[in-house]
Amino acid sequence: MSALPKIYRGNSTPLPDAELAALIDAYPKPSRLSEYSYGTAGFRYEASLLPCAFVRMGIFTALRSASLGGEEVGAMITASHNAERDNGMKLADSHGGMLDADWEEHAVSLANAPDSKHVLALMRTLANRVGTTAPDGKFPPMVVHIGRDTRSHSTPLAELVIRSARAMGATVIDHGTVTTPMLHHFVMHANGHMLPMCIPQRCNEGGYYEIVAMSYAALLRTGGTIVGVGGGCRRLPSASTLVIDGACGIGAIKVDEFRRIFARLSDEGCTVGLPSLRVVNFPGDGPLNVDCGAEFVQKQQSPPKFYGDSASGASRQYVTSFDGDADRVVFHYEDGGGEFHLLDGDKIAVLVSSFIQDELRCIDPDGTAVKCGVVQTAYANGSSTLYLKNVVKTNVVIAKTGVKFVHAAAHHHFDVGVYFEANGHGTVLFGPKFYDFIASAEARLRGTPRHDRANIALRRLRVLPALVNQSVGDAMSDMMLVDAILFLRGWDLSTWASLYSDMPSKQAKIKVADRTVITTNDNETAATAPVALQIALQAAMDAMATQENAKDGPKPRCFVRPSGTEDAVRVYAEANTQKGADSLASEAMILIHKLCGGVGAPPQPLITNRL
């Protein structure tokens, strides 16, 4: 049984400046760190560097809640797919998504202030600027939700956030060890006025499981009402047991608890199509994220190590891998010959978007009522982009790399926006026009036979916003969404994988003296400086296209982007052969070394052992 959160009331009035300053000064900024930087979703460093920032982020989260009139916000202590030695914090705004971009600079300023005097001055300035205090100088009610992963240092770091947030007068709701998506879910549901009417408000862990399980079961049940398919859908034997690689992290624990809900569904007769869930790679089975988990599987394109488990043969035909905080998921299997096959975020985006559009067209054949689309980054495989455009016939937008950019683009461009980065982080966002469409369809189809195809499509679409985590990528809910779609289509992973073949690709990195000499366009598909670099890269791509005789299919491409954390440049190349991708990446690295101040000897040609 999942534990209820602990609630810590804040001080009736914030601590006097002297006491708050003492708390801040007890955890000074580490001398070996020049400054804290804010990544895609927050701060992430080796754990011993973080106490200073975490004390200040407790103050920051309380202040952010005050700036929203007391709406509830969150902080998740995790370093996601990083090694055990690292930790970090992901911040959740009141809508459940990531912190508003305009507030990132305030978080960075507080984290990097030299001492308590400057922290308090920044705090007062910011409070006055956003009008968070009453005339008597008091803050409105403030609420901060806290969650943490399984790292040994996550609990003491969380305690620092709790102490400083309470010192500000905030109430802290401590959810203990949870996945990152759960923490975002709790925050979104705590501010219930932001939820669409079709999503029940559930603010705790048990409620989260209930929503995912019940909406998943409701989606599966629609497969038993289509006339002419043998009385309903059937699960293929190869998809009867779903093995979950938990990356030796929090996801394994939570999926194992979720299995109890499955047992209840079975007891209640909701057994149509339910797979058996088998969880491997728990905390303690092996090192966190080492040789297992979504990051390892997707980057290495090889199966995970099954610590303490002899999974083989048939039990490896239907496998998913989570990352350390369970906001990424990829699927994979080994065929009869033992060959490994990966279905990454690109494949998930294709599966999910095609399913949604098929169901929408059953109600709206013209496809004009709701604008659907997929947001990808430059790292998306070119074959997936072509398939989305030419076969699924959906809109595709390329956004800057990073989940906060693709999430914003999905909101901005589409009424139903699907995004999955290749690493498996993604979700589906449903906008106001979608809910209006569902309401209109319900009125129009009321009284029609239950097995009418448009009626079935309506029931499927109506349940999706509850099944899919609307705030952030969620390995557990995404896993259940994919499983339901495969069941409804009567597919296994091999059928799904056969939709299209990925272009071979190569990723590499080269050190430079100063990464700022390279700039790119908004979606990072082309370099804007140095000018000579993009000209040379384009010439290399054109030459590879001629060499490979790439006329009708995806064209070879290559892009480069400066690293966000070190003086290095990241290279991505893809072509119709692995040799071509390696060659293109090698040429890009040589160009960067020559034109952008490469460090050390010129790079050697890249060679991949895979065909």
Side-chain angles (χ1 to χ4, degrees), residues 90 187 190 195 259 271 333 365 367 373 383 423 480 493 523 536 538 556:
K90 295 181 177 181
V187 173
L195 287 174
R259 291 171 62 195
T271 56
Y333 69 99
S383 292
N423 60 31
M480 303 318 296
L493 294 191
N523 61 20
Q538 188 59 57

Side-chain angles (χ1 to χ4, degrees), residues 222-469:
T222 67
T225 54
I226 298 180
V227 173
V229 240
C233 299
R234 292 288 184 269
R235 186 173 291 280
L236 298 178
S238 59
S240 60
T241 298
L242 175 54
V243 178
I244 299 102
D245 158 27
C248 300
I250 185 63
I253 298 172
K254 297 310 177 183
V255 175
D256 203 44
E257 293 179 6
F258 179 70
R259 291 171 62 195
R260 298 192 183 100
I261 302 293
F262 258 49
R264 195 175 93 196
L265 290 175
S266 180
D267 292 342
E268 294 174 355
C270 303
T271 56
V272 54
L274 293 180
S276 171
L277 299 182
R278 181 182 176 196
V279 188
V280 298
N281 292 345
F282 284 85
D285 287 348
L288 178 66
N289 294 317
V290 175
D291 296 335
C292 62
E295 175 75 359
F296 171 82
V297 170
Q298 190 258 333
K299 292 293 189 296
Q300 300 301 319
Q301 297 191 35
S302 64
K305 182 174 181 178
F306 285 65
Y307 289 98
D309 188 276
S310 58
S312 61
S315 61
R316 293 197 178 190
Q317 291 181 17
Y318 189 25
V319 190
T320 69
S321 288
F322 291 8
D323 68 333
D325 66 337
D327 64 358
R328 297 182 184 182
V329 63
V330 295
F331 290 74
H332 47 94
Y333 69 99
E334 294 180 24
D335 61 25
E339 184 178 354
F340 174 77
H341 300 268
L342 172 68
L343 296 106
D344 61 7
D346 293 340
K347 293 277 189 180
I348 297 174
V350 165
L351 180 74
V352 171
S353 62
S354 63
F355 173 76
I356 291 174
Q357 294 218 149
D358 285 350
E359 300 306 313
L360 284 168
R361 286 169 184 148
C362 290
I363 304 173
D364 175 36
D366 295 334
T368 57
V370 176
K371 185 178 182 182
C372 299
V374 177
V375 179
Q376 295 187 313
T377 71
Y379 285 101
N381 194 275
S383 292
S384 72
T385 307
L386 278 185
Y387 190 91
L388 287 165
K389 290 179 177 179
N390 298 337
V391 180
V392 180
K393 298 189 183 303
T394 193
N395 304 288
V396 178
V397 169
I398 306 298
K400 186 176 180 180
T401 303
V403 66
K404 64 183 176 184
F405 301 112
V406 292
H407 191 94
H411 262 306
H412 176 73
H413 290 283
F414 304 118
D415 303 317
V416 178
V418 177
Y419 74 83
F420 279 89
E421 294 185 288
N423 60 31
H425 187 287
T427 190
V428 186
L429 302 179
F430 299 92
K433 278 192 175 181
F434 171 82
Y435 296 110
D436 292 343
F437 172 80
I438 293 297
S440 174
E442 286 178 334
R444 190 171 74 254
L445 296 171
R446 189 172 292 120
T448 59
R450 189 170 177 80
H451 61 262
D452 179 85
R453 188 62 183 86
N455 198 311
I456 293 169
L458 173 62
R459 286 186 284 122
R460 290 177 175 178
L461 292 168
R462 188 168 52 200
V463 79
L464 289 183
L467 174 56
V468 181
N469 193 326

Side-chain angles (χ1 to χ4, degrees), residues 181-190 202 207-208 211 469 471:
M182 284 181 177
L183 190 279
H184 283 265
H185 168 97
F186 302 149
V187 173
M188 178 177 69
H189 281 250
R202 299 289 187 271
Y208 167 88
I211 287 176
N469 193 326
S471 57

Side-chain angles (χ1 to χ4, degrees), residues 406-581:
V406 292
H407 191 94
H411 262 306
H412 176 73
H413 290 283
F414 304 118
D415 303 317
V416 178
V418 177
Y419 74 83
F420 279 89
E421 294 185 288
N423 60 31
H425 187 287
T427 190
V428 186
L429 302 179
F430 299 92
K433 278 192 175 181
F434 171 82
Y435 296 110
D436 292 343
F437 172 80
I438 293 297
S440 174
E442 286 178 334
R444 190 171 74 254
L445 296 171
R446 189 172 292 120
T448 59
R450 189 170 177 80
H451 61 262
D452 179 85
R453 188 62 183 86
N455 198 311
I456 293 169
L458 173 62
R459 286 186 284 122
R460 290 177 175 178
L461 292 168
R462 188 168 52 200
V463 79
L464 289 183
L467 174 56
V468 181
N469 193 326
Q470 296 294 289
S471 57
V472 73
D474 185 334
M476 191 183 302
S477 73
D478 288 342
M479 173 182 74
M480 303 318 296
L481 171 65
V482 167
D483 178 80
I485 294 172
L486 293 176
F487 169 74
L488 294 175
R489 289 188 164 177
W491 291 0
D492 60 8
L493 294 191
S494 63
T495 310
W496 175 19
S498 68
L499 293 180
Y500 65 88
S501 298
D502 282 329
M503 291 186 73
S505 63
K506 184 69 176 182
Q507 295 190 46
K509 182 175 70 174
I510 179 170
K511 291 188 176 296
V512 293
D514 178 10
R515 67 183 185 272
T516 63
V517 301
I518 294 184
T519 58
T520 68
N521 60 356
D522 288 343
N523 61 20
E524 300 177 321
T525 56
T528 53
V531 174
L533 176 60
Q534 187 59 37
I535 294 173
L537 286 173
Q538 188 59 57
M541 287 184 272
D542 292 342
M544 184 59 65
T546 300
Q547 180 180 324
E548 294 190 335
N549 195 26
K551 292 181 179 179
D552 300 323
K555 302 294 190 296
R557 66 186 181 97
C558 179
F559 69 89
V560 302
R561 53 185 287 265
S563 169
T565 57
E566 57 182 321
D567 279 323
V569 180
R570 301 190 184 279
V571 175
Y572 178 88
E574 64 183 23
N576 289 299
T577 63
Q578 189 63 57
K579 181 179 178 181

